[in-house]
Amino acid sequence: MIDLTDVHAGYGRIEVLRGVSLSVPRGTVTALLGPNGAGKSTLVKVLSGQLRATSGHVHLGGVHVNDAAPDELARAGLCTVPEGRAIFPNLTVAENLRLMRGDPDVVYERFPKLRVRHKQLAGSMSGGEQQMLAFSRALITDPAVLVIDELSMGLAPVIVAELYEVVAELASSGVTMLIVEQFAETASAVADQVVVMKHGEISEDSDLATVYFGGTS
Amino acid sequence: MTALLAYTIFGLVTGGAYAVVAGGLVLTYSTSKVFNVGHGAIGMVMAFLYWELAENRGLPQWLALLIVVGGCAPLFGLVIERFVMRRLAGAPVGITLVAGVGVLVGLIGAAQVIWPPQARPVRPFLDQLGVHIGQSFVSGHDLVTLACAVLVAGGLYVLLNRTRTGLAMRACVDAPELASLYGTRPHRLSALSWAIGSALAALGGILLTPVVQLDYVTMTLLVITAYTAALVGRLRSLPLTFVGALGLGLVQSYAVAYLPSSPFWISFRAAIPALLLFVVLLAMPQSPLRIGGVRGSRGVAVPTGLTAGVGAGLFLGVVVALALLVDSVVAGQLALALVFGIVLLSMVLLTGYGGVVSLGQFTFVGVGAVTVARLGSTSPLTLLAGAAVAAAIGALIALTALRVSGLYLALATLGFAQLMDKLVLQSPIAFGVRGSLQVPKLVESATAQLLLAAGVFALVGMGVLAVRRGRLGRKMIAVKDSSAACATLGMNVRWIRVGVFALSAAIAGLAGGLFAQLRETVAASDFQLFNNLPLLLFAVIAGVTSVSGAALGGLLLMLLPVLQSGFPAFAGAAVVLLGVAAAGLARDPNGLVSWFFRAWSWRRA
């Protein structure tokens, strides 16, 4: 479903991705792990159309999408939840949900806290609630492909567990997923395939301990 | 009682038209984060176009209105969005403002070329109709205006709060990248908001023509009135903006009714929007210290003391050589160019280094000129007196406007300029009843004038560079990049800003003094409010971050009127080109000069 072939990308003269090839089969979940600065978020940007690959090929569902704009990909069924609190802070919770095009009740049932706060400006909620709202998009848009960047960043373990419960449900319902995480355990638990990135390349070394604590080979 | 009713109705009608203009301003600002200084100018040009169709070509009024408001204006908004504003997404306030000023100046230039000055009466709408309320008469045009205001208010509210498109527009302002990940089309939304915004500018402009007459500058400066109204709603809330606009209309109408009609009070009335602007600004909450937001706008390299000294020496050498070569007419013109260059140096300090955009810098030039003219002495000390008075006024405005920053501050300076224009510079207080003053020259010959101007330019230029290299300069750059970080370091952000403002005003005042004694006669017409805008434009086009940019800008400013008298049609085209150039160049805040330097360093590489 997601196929990257020898993708290079970067910012100006700095090359971040140096020939990444990665394949996520339809209906499976891949966890992409790696230390800070490995190029994980850059990979998400290339995939979602925010950053153009300088060379190589990006295919989604067999279609070549190197030149597609982010909004085109989104309308075609790619749902990206970028890192950080990916919400519109000056819109209310209900307005945020309306933008996602879907039934808000699905979300309210899953995250009752959001129903209580539906008239509040999204930016005034706690970090955990904001992340729930951001992640709601994966719930109500019924995406063909879901890409999640650092879902657990800066959140309390209880909330991470609550969110990953939903991730697991979505995975079992057959959504193709790429989950980017710095913390290995949470993500690997739901994944069919674990891929490790290091220095802008997919590392052949699948031993996580080496990736995080080992020397720079 | 009858009079009160009549003036209330008149006020509400004018306020309704303001509301239409202000609504467009708020819409474009809240959906694209670009404050369109040229909003009033779009209304002006479209009102002229309406006159052309309805009065000159004899089309039915409704058809002309439909063509202009429904066709030409939205189309124009689309063009502006596509070719100017889209490139400015996320740019600092100063740059988006200059692009707007470019649009404004370009439109005025275009209007003057297409429609040369003459009386252009415009028939009001539905002039046979009208109703009597008590003993006062409400004309058909008034009813149309009120109806338009209500429709626009309701329409905009529904658009932004009840439709998906409006919701997506607001989302795009909040987080444009995220909005595109959500599948909204950011360019299409911003194009739509610009189309609606300029249609509203056009509608407001046309509705106001029977009240304010068809005039290039008056209608363009309606943006100040609309801005004051929009500020009541913090540039965001439409209902408050409409309340603000109606209130403004009422205050103006009551002022006509109940204030005495002596000359002072007549000019006071014209200054009401600007005065209210300050009242609203003072009532604004303190703007929060900006965190982050550092954009990669790199300044040009700052020369060392030695380089600056050598540069100044070379510059003086060139000027002396020129002074020996050219005749007295050219020498006088070059002296004028250098005086303008000194004005631009004040903007290098304030805008280039300090990051504060001033739309009222020419006012300080006027203050300096008036001071020197009033003192009437041939002692060089009068120049310093002019600088001191300008500095005092500059400090005063900085203190008043301290609460606000960025866009609000820039527009406060425009409001201040209008206030000074109406209450001081254009009134008998400044230039007397005849509107002009004689000034004794400090030095007689044109050659000596050139050398004097060159000497002052070199001194001020070196001074500005010394400030930049020194402690204050570092602090200025730091405040510009992150005022929050400065505050955490224990720096007093406010006094740095007041100091920079005063120093910059002093330089402009000094230039004003030089200007006055160079001209021998100075008049109120030399210091009109509108002159502020080309000044900023030339500063940015030539390069507002460097001393050499100031010199180039001064030269261009001097050349413009020379061209205008020699080739009127060409000068109009030149103004349009300038507007376009500013809009295009706005991306590179270092201006033409840096372009030359870059071209040069590329050749050397």
Short mmCIF file of all heavy atoms in Angstrom, two decimals, chain A residues 100-129:
data_model
loop_
_atom_site.label_atom_id
_atom_site.label_comp_id
_atom_site.label_asym_id
_atom_site.label_seq_id
_atom_site.Cartn_x
_atom_site.Cartn_y
_atom_site.Cartn_z
N MET A 100 -13.17 17.66 10.06
CA MET A 100 -12.68 16.33 9.74
C MET A 100 -13.64 15.55 8.86
O MET A 100 -13.33 14.45 8.44
CB MET A 100 -12.44 15.55 11.03
CG MET A 100 -11.36 16.16 11.90
SD MET A 100 -11.25 15.32 13.47
CE MET A 100 -10.07 16.34 14.34
N ARG A 101 -14.82 16.11 8.59
CA ARG A 101 -15.80 15.44 7.75
C ARG A 101 -16.12 14.06 8.29
O ARG A 101 -15.59 13.06 7.81
CB ARG A 101 -15.31 15.26 6.31
CG ARG A 101 -15.13 16.52 5.55
CD ARG A 101 -14.45 16.20 4.21
NE ARG A 101 -14.09 17.42 3.54
CZ ARG A 101 -14.92 18.09 2.75
NH1 ARG A 101 -16.13 17.66 2.55
NH2 ARG A 101 -14.52 19.21 2.18
N GLY A 102 -16.97 13.97 9.24
CA GLY A 102 -17.35 12.66 9.75
C GLY A 102 -18.33 12.86 10.89
O GLY A 102 -18.68 13.98 11.22
N ASP A 103 -18.76 11.77 11.47
CA ASP A 103 -19.75 11.86 12.53
C ASP A 103 -19.06 12.11 13.87
O ASP A 103 -18.33 11.24 14.36
CB ASP A 103 -20.53 10.53 12.57
CG ASP A 103 -21.59 10.55 13.65
OD1 ASP A 103 -21.86 11.64 14.19
OD2 ASP A 103 -22.13 9.48 13.94
N PRO A 104 -19.25 13.27 14.47
CA PRO A 104 -18.54 13.56 15.73
C PRO A 104 -18.94 12.61 16.86
O PRO A 104 -18.15 12.42 17.79
CB PRO A 104 -18.94 15.01 16.04
CG PRO A 104 -20.08 15.33 15.16
CD PRO A 104 -20.04 14.40 14.01
N ASP A 105 -20.12 12.02 16.77
CA ASP A 105 -20.55 11.14 17.86
C ASP A 105 -19.62 9.95 18.05
O ASP A 105 -19.43 9.46 19.16
CB ASP A 105 -21.98 10.66 17.63
CG ASP A 105 -22.98 11.75 18.00
OD1 ASP A 105 -22.64 12.55 18.89
OD2 ASP A 105 -24.06 11.81 17.38
N VAL A 106 -19.03 9.48 16.94
CA VAL A 106 -18.07 8.38 17.03
C VAL A 106 -16.95 8.78 17.99
O VAL A 106 -16.51 8.01 18.84
CB VAL A 106 -17.48 8.09 15.63
CG1 VAL A 106 -16.46 6.97 15.71
CG2 VAL A 106 -18.59 7.75 14.66
N VAL A 107 -16.49 10.02 17.83
CA VAL A 107 -15.40 10.51 18.67
C VAL A 107 -15.86 10.71 20.10
O VAL A 107 -15.18 10.31 21.05
CB VAL A 107 -14.86 11.84 18.09
CG1 VAL A 107 -13.86 12.47 19.04
CG2 VAL A 107 -14.24 11.60 16.73
N TYR A 108 -17.04 11.34 20.25
CA TYR A 108 -17.52 11.63 21.60
C TYR A 108 -17.70 10.35 22.41
O TYR A 108 -17.49 10.33 23.62
CB TYR A 108 -18.84 12.40 21.53
CG TYR A 108 -18.70 13.80 21.00
CD1 TYR A 108 -19.72 14.40 20.28
CD2 TYR A 108 -17.53 14.55 21.24
CE1 TYR A 108 -19.60 15.70 19.80
CE2 TYR A 108 -17.39 15.83 20.76
CZ TYR A 108 -18.43 16.41 20.03
OH TYR A 108 -18.31 17.67 19.56
N GLU A 109 -18.11 9.27 21.74
CA GLU A 109 -18.29 8.01 22.46
C GLU A 109 -16.94 7.44 22.91
O GLU A 109 -16.81 6.91 24.01
CB GLU A 109 -19.01 7.00 21.59
CG GLU A 109 -20.51 7.01 21.86
CD GLU A 109 -21.28 6.39 20.73
OE1 GLU A 109 -20.88 5.31 20.25
OE2 GLU A 109 -22.28 7.01 20.30
N ARG A 110 -15.97 7.57 22.03
CA ARG A 110 -14.65 7.04 22.32
C ARG A 110 -13.93 7.90 23.37
O ARG A 110 -13.29 7.40 24.29
CB ARG A 110 -13.86 7.02 21.00
CG ARG A 110 -12.58 6.28 21.03
CD ARG A 110 -12.81 4.80 21.16
NE ARG A 110 -11.99 4.30 22.25
CZ ARG A 110 -11.77 3.04 22.51
NH1 ARG A 110 -12.35 2.11 21.77
NH2 ARG A 110 -11.00 2.68 23.50
N PHE A 111 -14.00 9.22 23.20
CA PHE A 111 -13.36 10.15 24.14
C PHE A 111 -14.41 11.07 24.76
O PHE A 111 -14.60 12.20 24.28
CB PHE A 111 -12.31 11.01 23.43
CG PHE A 111 -11.25 10.23 22.69
CD1 PHE A 111 -11.10 10.39 21.33
CD2 PHE A 111 -10.40 9.36 23.37
CE1 PHE A 111 -10.12 9.69 20.64
CE2 PHE A 111 -9.43 8.66 22.68
CZ PHE A 111 -9.29 8.82 21.32
N PRO A 112 -15.09 10.63 25.81
CA PRO A 112 -16.18 11.43 26.38
C PRO A 112 -15.73 12.82 26.85
O PRO A 112 -16.51 13.76 26.84
CB PRO A 112 -16.63 10.59 27.58
CG PRO A 112 -16.11 9.22 27.32
CD PRO A 112 -14.88 9.37 26.52
N LYS A 113 -14.46 12.94 27.20
CA LYS A 113 -13.95 14.25 27.63
C LYS A 113 -14.17 15.31 26.56
O LYS A 113 -14.40 16.47 26.85
CB LYS A 113 -12.45 14.17 27.90
CG LYS A 113 -12.08 13.63 29.26
CD LYS A 113 -10.58 13.65 29.40
CE LYS A 113 -10.14 12.88 30.62
NZ LYS A 113 -8.71 12.60 30.60
N LEU A 114 -14.07 14.92 25.31
CA LEU A 114 -14.20 15.88 24.22
C LEU A 114 -15.64 16.36 24.10
O LEU A 114 -15.90 17.50 23.71
CB LEU A 114 -13.72 15.28 22.90
CG LEU A 114 -12.22 14.98 22.82
CD1 LEU A 114 -11.87 14.45 21.44
CD2 LEU A 114 -11.39 16.21 23.12
N ARG A 115 -16.59 15.49 24.44
CA ARG A 115 -17.99 15.91 24.37
C ARG A 115 -18.25 17.03 25.39
O ARG A 115 -18.89 18.03 25.08
CB ARG A 115 -18.93 14.74 24.63
CG ARG A 115 -20.38 15.10 24.34
CD ARG A 115 -21.35 14.14 24.99
NE ARG A 115 -21.26 12.78 24.46
CZ ARG A 115 -21.90 12.36 23.37
NH1 ARG A 115 -22.65 13.18 22.70
NH2 ARG A 115 -21.79 11.12 22.98
N VAL A 116 -17.66 16.84 26.58
CA VAL A 116 -17.82 17.86 27.61
C VAL A 116 -17.26 19.20 27.14
O VAL A 116 -17.80 20.26 27.43
CB VAL A 116 -17.09 17.42 28.91
CG1 VAL A 116 -17.25 18.45 30.00
CG2 VAL A 116 -17.59 16.06 29.35
N ARG A 117 -16.17 19.14 26.41
CA ARG A 117 -15.48 20.37 26.03
C ARG A 117 -15.83 20.84 24.62
O ARG A 117 -15.09 21.63 24.04
CB ARG A 117 -13.98 20.14 26.10
CG ARG A 117 -13.48 19.70 27.47
CD ARG A 117 -12.04 20.07 27.63
NE ARG A 117 -11.50 19.65 28.91
CZ ARG A 117 -11.67 20.34 30.04
NH1 ARG A 117 -12.37 21.45 30.00
NH2 ARG A 117 -11.14 19.92 31.16
N HIS A 118 -16.92 20.37 24.04
CA HIS A 118 -17.09 20.60 22.61
C HIS A 118 -17.24 22.07 22.22
O HIS A 118 -16.96 22.45 21.10
CB HIS A 118 -18.25 19.76 22.05
CG HIS A 118 -19.61 20.29 22.38
ND1 HIS A 118 -20.19 20.09 23.62
CD2 HIS A 118 -20.49 21.01 21.66
CE1 HIS A 118 -21.38 20.67 23.63
NE2 HIS A 118 -21.59 21.23 22.46
N LYS A 119 -17.63 22.91 23.17
CA LYS A 119 -17.76 24.33 22.83
C LYS A 119 -16.51 25.14 23.15
O LYS A 119 -16.45 26.34 22.92
CB LYS A 119 -18.96 24.93 23.58
CG LYS A 119 -20.27 24.70 22.86
CD LYS A 119 -21.36 25.55 23.47
CE LYS A 119 -22.63 25.44 22.65
NZ LYS A 119 -23.77 26.00 23.38
N GLN A 120 -15.52 24.46 23.74
CA GLN A 120 -14.32 25.16 24.18
C GLN A 120 -13.35 25.31 23.01
O GLN A 120 -13.30 24.48 22.10
CB GLN A 120 -13.68 24.31 25.28
CG GLN A 120 -12.69 25.03 26.14
CD GLN A 120 -12.27 24.12 27.28
OE1 GLN A 120 -13.07 23.37 27.85
NE2 GLN A 120 -11.01 24.17 27.62
N LEU A 121 -12.51 26.39 23.03
CA LEU A 121 -11.47 26.51 22.02
C LEU A 121 -10.47 25.37 22.23
O LEU A 121 -10.04 25.11 23.35
CB LEU A 121 -10.74 27.85 22.14
CG LEU A 121 -11.53 29.09 21.69
CD1 LEU A 121 -10.62 30.30 21.70
CD2 LEU A 121 -12.10 28.88 20.29
N ALA A 122 -10.11 24.72 21.12
CA ALA A 122 -9.27 23.53 21.23
C ALA A 122 -7.93 23.85 21.88
O ALA A 122 -7.40 23.04 22.63
CB ALA A 122 -9.06 22.93 19.84
N GLY A 123 -7.40 25.05 21.61
CA GLY A 123 -6.09 25.40 22.14
C GLY A 123 -6.09 25.55 23.66
O GLY A 123 -5.02 25.59 24.28
N SER A 124 -7.27 25.64 24.26
CA SER A 124 -7.30 25.86 25.71
C SER A 124 -7.39 24.54 26.48
O SER A 124 -7.48 24.54 27.70
CB SER A 124 -8.47 26.76 26.08
OG SER A 124 -9.69 26.10 25.80
N MET A 125 -7.34 23.42 25.77
CA MET A 125 -7.44 22.13 26.47
C MET A 125 -6.05 21.65 26.88
O MET A 125 -5.04 22.19 26.47
CB MET A 125 -8.07 21.08 25.55
CG MET A 125 -9.50 21.42 25.14
SD MET A 125 -10.33 20.00 24.45
CE MET A 125 -9.30 19.58 23.06
N SER A 126 -6.03 20.61 27.70
CA SER A 126 -4.75 20.04 28.12
C SER A 126 -4.09 19.32 26.94
O SER A 126 -4.75 19.00 25.96
CB SER A 126 -4.96 19.06 29.26
OG SER A 126 -5.51 17.86 28.75
N GLY A 127 -2.80 19.05 27.08
CA GLY A 127 -2.05 18.40 26.01
C GLY A 127 -2.66 17.07 25.61
O GLY A 127 -2.80 16.76 24.43
N GLY A 128 -3.06 16.28 26.62
CA GLY A 128 -3.63 14.96 26.33
C GLY A 128 -4.93 15.08 25.55
O GLY A 128 -5.15 14.36 24.58
N GLU A 129 -5.78 16.03 25.98
CA GLU A 129 -7.06 16.21 25.28
C GLU A 129 -6.84 16.70 23.86
O GLU A 129 -7.54 16.30 22.92
CB GLU A 129 -7.92 17.21 26.06
CG GLU A 129 -8.44 16.63 27.37
CD GLU A 129 -8.90 17.71 28.34
OE1 GLU A 129 -8.54 18.88 28.16
OE2 GLU A 129 -9.61 17.37 29.29
#
